[in-house]
Amino acid sequence: QVQLVESGGGLVQAGGSLRLSCAASGDIFRINFWGWYRQAPGKQRELVAGITSGGSANYGDSVKSRFIISRDNAKNVYLQMNNLKPDDTGVYYCRDLGLRVDLRPFGSWGQGTQVTVSS
């Protein structure tokens, strides 16, 4: 069983910063893709940022130049969020795609972490 645990969410004033972390554990052989998604109240879940095992990153239009996704060699992924806006409020979910130790593909979701940006 592959599990993802997010942390780092909280309440922040507009213009502030937060750094989200996601730690993967379980029978993981390789992670091919890390993604951060968010779901704002009354809206559909959307991709915020993604990064491949090769380090190629992409971002949603609304967060470009403000957010940075990164990874390390310990099966962790991070989302540095700068200049936060009230529209960034939502539940942020970590998404992980890769191969298990038995080389079968997997896709996992974290339980989410709440980010609230006040005016």
Side-chain angles (χ1 to χ4, degrees):
Q1 186 73 36
V2 176
Q3 294 186 352
L4 307 179
V5 179
E6 302 103 330
S7 62
L11 175 64
V12 66
Q13 193 173 17
S17 298
L18 286 173
R19 187 173 188 250
L20 306 183
S21 300
C22 178
S25 62
D27 298 329
I28 301 170
F29 176 75
R30 179 182 178 88
I31 297 173
N32 295 323
F33 173 81
W34 287 103
W36 284 100
Y37 294 74
R38 72 184 178 193
Q39 187 163 14
K43 297 183 179 180
Q44 298 293 318
R45 187 176 299 185
E46 64 176 344
L47 176 66
V48 176
I51 188 168
T52 68
S53 60
S56 298
N58 61 87
Y59 300 90
D61 290 339
S62 64
V63 307
K64 288 180 179 178
S65 301
R66 297 190 297 121
F67 291 8
I68 300 173
I69 188 171
S70 61
R71 56 170 175 78
D72 61 22
N73 293 324
K75 298 182 176 65
N76 301 313
V77 68
Y78 309 92
L79 185 67
Q80 179 65 46
M81 304 187 294
N82 301 314
N83 192 24
L84 284 161
K85 306 177 184 298
D87 286 346
D88 294 320
T89 294
V91 179
Y92 284 69
Y93 299 90
C94 182
R95 176 65 165 168
D96 189 30
L97 301 174
L99 299 176
R100 302 182 189 275
V101 171
D102 61 8
L103 302 185
R104 295 181 179 181
F106 72 89
S108 297
W109 288 99
Q111 293 185 349
T113 184
Q114 176 70 45
V115 172
T116 302
V117 184
S118 62
S119 301

